[in-house]
Amino acid sequence: MTALENKTLVIIGASSGIAARIAADATEQGAQVISTGRPEVDLTDENSIRALAARVGELDYLITLAADHANGPVTELDREAVHRAFDAKVIGPILLAKHFAPRFRPGGAMLLFSGVAAWRPAPGRSVMAATNAAAATLAEALAVELAPLRVNALSPGIIDSGAWDGPAKDAFFESVASRNPARRIGTPADISAAALLALTNSFLTGTTLHVDGGGRLV
């Protein structure tokens, strides 16, 4: 029996390659996975989150990978785009905690997704840096407030998840891999392994796991 056998895992933001790999790996290890995307739950709408929690009922684990980027120069940012970015990464997870926390079985855990931009800000990525940093801090705060429910964050680096596909992909990946200490690009499998560790390790809470090949350091 694995640590995920007969556990219920809810994945919010199921459209990404990373989410698909987590769902597949968790299912292989015996979990019942409920994957939800924007058609099933709208993180900008508290009633939508409340309704999802009621449909799910009791659960063991929840991961939110939702993101809505507002990239570009600060002087050109659209206010509504910034709001949507914070809804996805910060306000939405707060409301998920509000409505799901009472439904977790003993030993349960939440996992929020941060990102390397919080530690390596770049021009045109100010909102991404801010929302990812907020997600990491929120995990710490929720771990204290909701204890013994465990809450952690995961901060991926550059991952070959499909998000970077395009004519410049190979050159970009080669450049990133040549600089980071791991000397390679991450894979969805790397992120999935860390995510499932964060869910199932009962002595891990209030922590951000950096799965970035050391990219935040250089």
Side-chain angles (χ1 to χ4, degrees), residues 171-195:
F172 174 64
F173 277 9
E174 183 178 348
S175 173
V176 171
S178 71
R179 295 193 309 271
N180 73 32
R183 296 295 191 267
R184 69 175 179 88
I185 296 298
T187 67
D190 294 322
I191 304 304
S192 177

Side-chain angles (χ1 to χ4, degrees), residues 57-147:
E58 289 191 335
L59 72 159
D60 300 284
Y61 305 124
L62 184 147
I63 301 175
T64 175
L65 302 96
D68 199 332
H69 302 305
N71 295 330
V74 167
T75 54
E76 299 175 10
L77 288 177
D78 175 73
R79 179 182 175 85
E80 291 307 312
V82 174
H83 278 186
R84 290 193 298 270
F86 275 88
D87 278 331
K89 281 279 190 174
V90 186
I91 300 172
I94 290 172
L95 295 176
L96 288 169
K98 173 182 176 179
H99 292 286
F100 277 90
R103 300 176 179 275
F104 280 92
R105 299 185 183 102
M110 289 183 64
L111 181 65
L112 314 184
F113 263 64
S114 177
V116 71
W119 287 267
R120 285 191 59 81
R125 300 292 186 268
S126 293
V127 176
M128 183 181 287
T131 56
N132 284 328
T137 299
L138 178 60
E140 295 179 357
L142 291 178
V144 173
E145 181 167 350
L146 301 180

Side-chain angles (χ1 to χ4, degrees), residues 14-42:
S15 61
S16 74
I18 290 173
R21 180 58 190 255
I22 294 172
D25 289 348
T27 299
E28 185 177 353
Q29 295 181 39
Q32 176 193 358
V33 177
I34 301 171
S35 295
T36 65
R38 191 164 293 176
E40 295 82 20
V41 61
D42 180 357

